Amino acid sequence: MRSKLPITVTAFLCSLTTIAPVFAQSTGLEDMVGARAGQAENELQRRGYRNMRGEKGGDRSYTYWWNSDRRQCVSIATMNGRYDSITPTTSPDCRQSPLKDRERAPRYLPPARDNYRGRYGGGGDLSRNCKAEAAAAFDRRPSDITTNAPIRQRNGTIVQGWYDRNKDTRFFTCRFDEDSRFISVN
C-alpha cells in the first residue's frame, strides 16, 4: 500500500525550496550586529574582509566590505557608532567585477502590510521607484540604471544600484521610510 503525504506537508516541503536560497545568503557576520564599529573593523579584517568604500546617508553610515576568499561583498549600516545591519550585496557594490550566474542579489523584501503604500501609491516596487529617482537625480535614462532588490532595515528600506559614467561605475543608495515613501538618493 502506497502512502500519500497530506497536502499541508507537501505544501510545506515545496515552500522550503523557495526559502532555502535566503538561508544560503548568510554572511557569517550576523554575530557582529550591535558591535561597536571601531572595534568590529579589526574583527572583519581578521575574518578576511577589507574595506572597499563608505558613504553617509541620513542617520547612518554605510561601508562595503569585500572578502576575496568567499567572493562576497557585504554592506554594513552603522548608526550611533554601532553596526545596525549587515547584509550581503553584489560584487559591483565592492567595486569588483560581477560574477556570472553564481551570484544573485539577495532578495530582502519588506513584509507585506495592508497599509504599505508610499509616495507612488502602490509602494510595491521600490526598485523601480529608486530607478526613477536616481535617473532624475543623476541625469540618466532609467534604462541606464541598475538596481538591486530592496533591503528591509529597522527604520525603512534601502535599494542599492549603479550606473556607468565615462567608463567608471557610480554607485548609489535610495532610502525609503517605513511606509515606503522616498527619502533620498546619494
Side-chain angles (χ1 to χ4, degrees), residues 30-41:
E30 291 79 12
D31 61 313
M32 297 182 71
V33 173
R36 289 194 174 278
Q39 297 166 348
E41 287 183 1

Side-chain angles (χ1 to χ4, degrees), residues 60-174:
R60 290 178 177 78
S61 297
Y62 296 88
T63 53
Y64 296 85
W65 293 78
W66 176 253
N67 185 314
S68 56
D69 292 337
R70 296 181 74 180
R71 304 234 6 108
Q72 180 180 44
C73 180
V74 295
S75 170
I76 300 178
T78 303
M79 187 170 134
N80 297 325
R82 293 189 178 273
Y83 285 175
D84 187 50
S85 66
I86 301 174
T87 54
T89 186
T90 60
S91 52
D93 288 337
C94 285
R95 298 189 171 127
Q96 304 295 313
S97 62
L99 299 175
K100 303 225 178 202
D101 295 324
R102 265 186 35 202
E103 182 176 76
R104 296 277 182 231
R107 300 201 54 87
Y108 294 99
L109 300 176
R113 297 186 302 196
D114 291 336
N115 65 349
Y116 197 67
R117 301 205 182 285
R119 171 176 165 179
Y120 297 94
D125 193 354
L126 297 181
S127 295
R128 186 178 64 212
N129 299 346
C130 177
K131 186 179 279 199
E133 293 290 345
F138 303 120
D139 195 28
R140 295 277 169 237
R141 293 182 305 213
S143 60
D144 294 338
I145 294 175
T146 303
T147 54
N148 291 330
I151 300 172
R152 183 79 174 140
Q153 297 187 325
R154 265 189 220 162
N155 296 324
T157 305
I158 64 168
V159 176
Q160 298 171 326
W162 64 91
Y163 63 92
D164 290 326
R165 180 177 171 184
N166 301 331
K167 297 182 181 181
D168 186 27
T169 302
R170 302 290 172 117
F171 299 93
F172 60 87
T173 301
C174 294

